[in-house]
Amino acid sequence: MRMIRKVGFVVLKVFLLLSTIYAEGQSPALSSLPSISQKRPDLALVILKKKHGQAVDNNDAVTAGICLKQMGQICYNQGHYAQALEFYLHADRALSAVKDKSLLAQNYGEMGVLYYYNKQPAKSREMYNKALFIYNQTDNQKGKAEIFGNIGHLYEKSKQYDSAFYYQHLALDSYTRANYKKGAAKIYENLGSIYEDLTKYDSAYTSFNRSLQLYKEERNEIASIEVLNNLGDILRKTGKYAESISQSRKAMELARQTGNGYQLAACSKDLGKAYELMNRMDSAYYYAELSRKYSLEVYSKDGVNQTAFLQVLYDINKKSDEINRLNNIRKINRIITAAVVVVVLLLIVLAVVIFSRQRLKIKDQRALARQNDAEHHLMQLQLKNQQLEEGSLKQQLDVKSRELSTHTLNLIKNNQLLEQLRSTLQAMVKEDKRDQKKQMQQIILQINESFNHEQHWKEFTTAFEQVHQQFFDNIKKHSNELTSADMRLIALLRINLNSADIATLLNISTDSLRVSRYRLRKKLNMPQGDNLTAFIQSL
């Protein structure tokens, strides 16, 4: 019950202090937070959370990233690795957009340490390599030295001591170039630890002693306590108990001055071991009990601090969850609003499209109706033109038929006349009038020539083809052996002349006409008994 009251009092004290700080507008600077985080990590965490919120509101990615990184470091120091990793990952996203990549490299380095203590050496080395890549680009000697030292520590814990020495010396060389004594002191301390693992106590003692000198020059008392303890361990392991006790007492005095309970417990424990080896059991028991007392105080104090820290961490996470919930609600509301706006716009667009399509449809229907009317009017005009053309063609056909009949009659009359003249002249020739005989023979010759003249036949053929355009093509389909005389006979049969007229027009006898008709039947492949004139009329 007393412990619960104590925890509640600490938490209440933290929030009263924070309320006073923010009410006075005196929020501590980020540079002063490391000292606060060592004594009051819960207070430092609340301050950083407040500053992170302000940085986010001001779109200050640098400050937001630094706050997240320091919050991760505080959680790591308190042993809350999962929460620390979450802060580091958020810092990584914030610092990735920052031009100064050294902050991102520092975050990678701290993430590497976190992965190492979380027993993920491969992931740890991956983070170290990312940080080292950035430091090489910016030629940051201090940054490179820190990463080299961490990589060397990885190799040391995996007992690859050659690689461990290699990277620790790379780190020492970089710190020396940067003239950074605090970093060099840490590397000497790492080298001493490696020598101690290899039981090379003289080299270990030299490295620890060099580290102690550098820490003293930097007046780093907390780091000096740990190195003094390491020197005491080396002296105790080499049998120099009195000197070991001297170093441990120095460390204990510094721990008492700085109020470092953990180091007081460690120093008391080392003194108890030394007195036990000297067979001074009373002193050994005294310091063992003293170490146990300091340890209980440390654990008790750590328990209170952890409880207060967890309470603050819980409140921060709860507040963050509430903020996230509200942000999600706002996002959902924005999405719903945007969706409603989009739906309304789509409905308006749809209405406009439907209206436009309807107007376009009506317009198209009107245009189609006008087009149909125009096409109907055009078809009527074409029909009228066709009727007129048909009437004209019919008139032309009638004219040509009359012309054909006229030509035929003229031919018949002409040939009849010529036949009469020839008969008369032949009778005159038979007379004994010798003075007319020669003249008459010349007339007969001219008449015979007129019988063979083709001009009338050409005119007849032209008129016949104009009246009966397809007839000759149809008749040629039945035979390819038809001569011009055959075609004349067929044309005369087509216009349905009798045999006497045909014989007169062709200037042949009726017997010769019968022979010509017989030959034409054979060329047309007509069966026996079929009427030639009827066949030709049917084509």
Side-chain angles (χ1 to χ4, degrees):
M1 182 64 70
R2 183 180 300 174
M3 181 63 70
I4 295 173
R5 289 177 180 174
K6 190 174 181 180
V7 170
F9 175 74
V10 171
V11 174
L12 180 60
K13 188 176 178 181
V14 168
F15 283 103
L16 287 174
L17 178 59
L18 288 174
S19 299
T20 303
I21 290 173
Y22 294 135
E24 296 175 356
Q26 296 176 352
S27 180
L30 292 176
S31 60
S32 65
L33 282 173
S35 61
I36 298 176
S37 64
Q38 291 177 3
K39 298 178 181 179
R40 299 291 300 279
D42 49 351
L43 175 61
L45 194 65
V46 173
I47 295 171
L48 287 168
K49 184 63 178 177
K50 180 70 174 178
K51 283 191 168 291
H52 173 260
Q54 294 173 350
V56 171
D57 292 339
N58 297 328
N59 293 323
D60 186 357
V62 175
T63 303
I66 293 173
C67 289
L68 288 167
K69 186 171 72 70
Q70 291 188 356
M71 290 164 74
Q73 185 65 39
I74 292 172
C75 290
Y76 161 75
N77 291 335
Q78 298 300 312
H80 300 286
Y81 295 153
Q83 187 66 54
L85 180 60
E86 184 176 351
F87 283 129
Y88 282 139
L89 291 174
H90 284 299
D92 178 52
R93 285 194 288 271
L95 295 173
S96 296
V98 176
K99 291 183 179 180
D100 185 5
K101 297 301 179 183
S102 60
L103 294 172
L104 183 61
Q106 290 175 17
N107 193 61
Y108 285 143
E110 292 176 8
M111 288 175 69
V113 175
L114 172 63
Y115 281 122
Y116 166 72
Y117 281 103
N118 204 31
K119 301 186 183 304
Q120 294 178 269
K123 196 69 176 176
S124 175
R125 182 59 188 272
E126 181 184 346
M127 293 296 106
Y128 290 151
N129 289 339
K130 287 183 177 181
L132 192 60
F133 177 78
I134 295 174
Y135 286 138
N136 282 328
Q137 285 185 325
T138 58
D139 195 27
N140 189 328
Q141 295 297 326
K142 287 174 62 176
K144 287 194 292 184
E146 182 178 0
I147 299 302
F148 285 144
N150 291 337
I151 295 174
H153 189 66
L154 275 177
Y155 282 115
E156 177 189 352
K157 295 305 176 183
S158 62
K159 300 185 184 303
Q160 300 181 48
Y161 295 112
D162 290 339
S163 297
F165 275 123
Y166 172 74
Y167 279 100
Q168 294 296 347
H169 281 102
L170 285 178
L172 184 61
D173 182 59
S174 295
Y175 276 134
T176 302
R177 290 181 184 179
N179 194 26
Y180 187 58
K181 293 182 180 180
K182 182 179 177 181
K186 183 62 180 177
I187 298 303
Y188 278 117
E189 188 178 352
N190 292 343
L191 289 170
S193 178
I194 298 172
Y195 283 125
E196 185 176 1
D197 290 344
L198 295 172
T199 66
K200 295 181 179 180
Y201 297 121
D202 291 340
S203 299
Y205 184 85
T206 301
S207 297
F208 284 135
N209 196 41
R210 178 57 180 158
S211 175
L212 180 61
Q213 291 175 6
L214 292 173
Y215 279 136
K216 285 182 177 180
E217 291 178 10
E218 293 292 310
R219 296 182 180 180
N220 192 333
E221 295 178 345
I222 295 176
S224 298
I225 296 171
E226 189 171 352
V227 177
L228 286 169
N229 278 332
N230 290 331
L231 287 171
D233 286 341
I234 296 298
L235 292 170
R236 187 177 68 252
K237 289 177 181 178
T238 55
K240 300 175 182 179
Y241 303 125
E243 295 179 14
S244 173
I245 291 172
S246 175
Q247 295 292 344
S248 296
R249 288 186 182 279
K250 291 179 182 179
M252 192 171 185
E253 181 62 25
L254 281 174
R256 188 175 288 111
Q257 291 175 6
T258 57
N260 194 324
Y262 176 81
Q263 291 294 345
L264 283 171
C267 293
S268 299
K269 185 177 181 180
D270 288 344
L271 286 169
K273 289 180 181 179
Y275 280 118
E276 182 182 1
L277 291 171
M278 293 174 67
N279 204 24
R280 295 172 60 178
M281 295 305 176
D282 291 342
S283 298
Y285 177 78
Y286 170 78
Y287 283 108
E289 283 295 312
L290 189 61
S291 174
R292 187 177 68 83
K293 174 188 173 184
Y294 284 134
S295 296
L296 288 174
E297 290 179 357
V298 169
Y299 293 146
S300 176
K301 186 177 180 180
D302 283 349
V304 173
N305 290 337
Q306 282 288 331
T307 304
F309 183 80
L310 287 172
Q311 181 64 43
V312 171
L313 194 60
Y314 171 77
D315 291 338
I316 289 175
N317 289 333
K318 184 178 180 182
K319 186 176 181 181
S320 297
D321 292 340
E322 183 65 18
I323 291 172
N324 290 333
R325 187 182 70 83
L326 293 174
N327 287 333
N328 289 333
I329 291 174
R330 280 196 290 268
K331 287 181 181 178
I332 291 172
N333 290 335
R334 285 197 294 269
I335 291 171
I336 292 173
T337 303
V340 170
V341 171
V342 170
V343 169
V344 171
L345 291 175
L346 287 176
L347 290 175
I348 293 173
V349 171
L350 182 62
V352 171
V353 170
I354 292 173
F355 180 72
S356 299
R357 287 178 62 86
Q358 193 65 26
R359 289 185 59 188
L360 185 61
K361 185 177 180 180
I362 294 172
K363 185 178 179 181
D364 290 341
Q365 288 176 348
R366 290 176 179 174
L368 183 61
R370 287 195 296 269
Q371 183 178 355
N372 290 335
D373 292 340
E375 290 179 354
H376 181 68
H377 182 66
L378 181 62
M379 288 178 64
Q380 288 181 339
L381 291 176
Q382 290 177 348
L383 183 60
K384 289 181 179 179
N385 291 334
Q386 186 175 0
Q387 292 174 349
L388 292 174
E389 289 178 358
E390 288 179 355
S392 176
L393 289 174
K394 188 175 181 180
Q395 291 177 357
Q396 291 179 5
L397 182 62
D398 292 340
V399 171
K400 295 296 182 182
S401 298
R402 289 195 294 272
E403 290 179 355
L404 181 61
S405 300
T406 302
H407 281 295
T408 304
L409 291 175
N410 289 334
L411 284 172
I412 293 171
K413 291 178 179 180
N414 186 38
N415 284 355
Q416 288 177 348
L417 176 62
L418 291 174
E419 180 64 27
Q420 291 176 359
L421 290 174
R422 184 172 60 177
S423 299
T424 303
L425 291 173
Q426 285 177 348
M428 292 174 65
V429 170
K430 290 180 180 179
E431 294 180 358
D432 292 335
K433 295 180 180 182
R434 297 186 179 269
D435 56 342
Q436 296 180 352
K437 187 176 183 178
K438 186 175 181 181
Q439 185 178 0
M440 293 301 174
Q441 286 179 346
Q442 188 175 1
I443 293 173
I444 292 170
L445 181 61
Q446 290 177 353
I447 292 171
N448 287 334
E449 289 178 357
S450 67
F451 270 112
N452 295 327
H453 199 274
E454 293 294 327
Q455 181 63 34
H456 294 295
W457 280 113
K458 287 182 180 180
E459 293 175 356
F460 172 80
T461 302
T462 302
F464 186 88
E465 288 180 353
Q466 288 177 349
V467 175
H468 306 283
Q469 293 181 359
Q470 297 294 325
F471 175 74
F472 284 119
D473 294 334
N474 292 335
I475 197 67
K476 287 179 181 178
K477 291 179 182 178
H478 290 79
S479 176
N480 294 324
E481 300 177 357
L482 298 175
T483 63
S484 58
D486 294 332
M487 294 303 295
R488 289 179 182 176
L489 176 59
I490 290 171
L492 295 174
L493 290 171
R494 174 70 177 180
I495 61 176
N496 201 20
L497 292 180
N498 56 39
S499 298
D501 291 337
I502 294 173
T504 302
L505 287 172
L506 296 178
N507 194 27
I508 58 175
S509 64
T510 54
D511 293 335
S512 298
L513 178 61
R514 282 195 295 272
V515 173
S516 297
R517 289 169 65 95
Y518 174 76
R519 290 174 179 173
L520 181 59
R521 288 171 59 87
K522 288 186 67 177
K523 289 182 180 180
L524 294 175
N525 297 316
M526 289 181 61
Q528 215 171 15
D530 287 355
N531 188 278
L532 177 62
T533 302
F535 173 76
I536 292 173
Q537 291 289 334
S538 65
L539 295 177

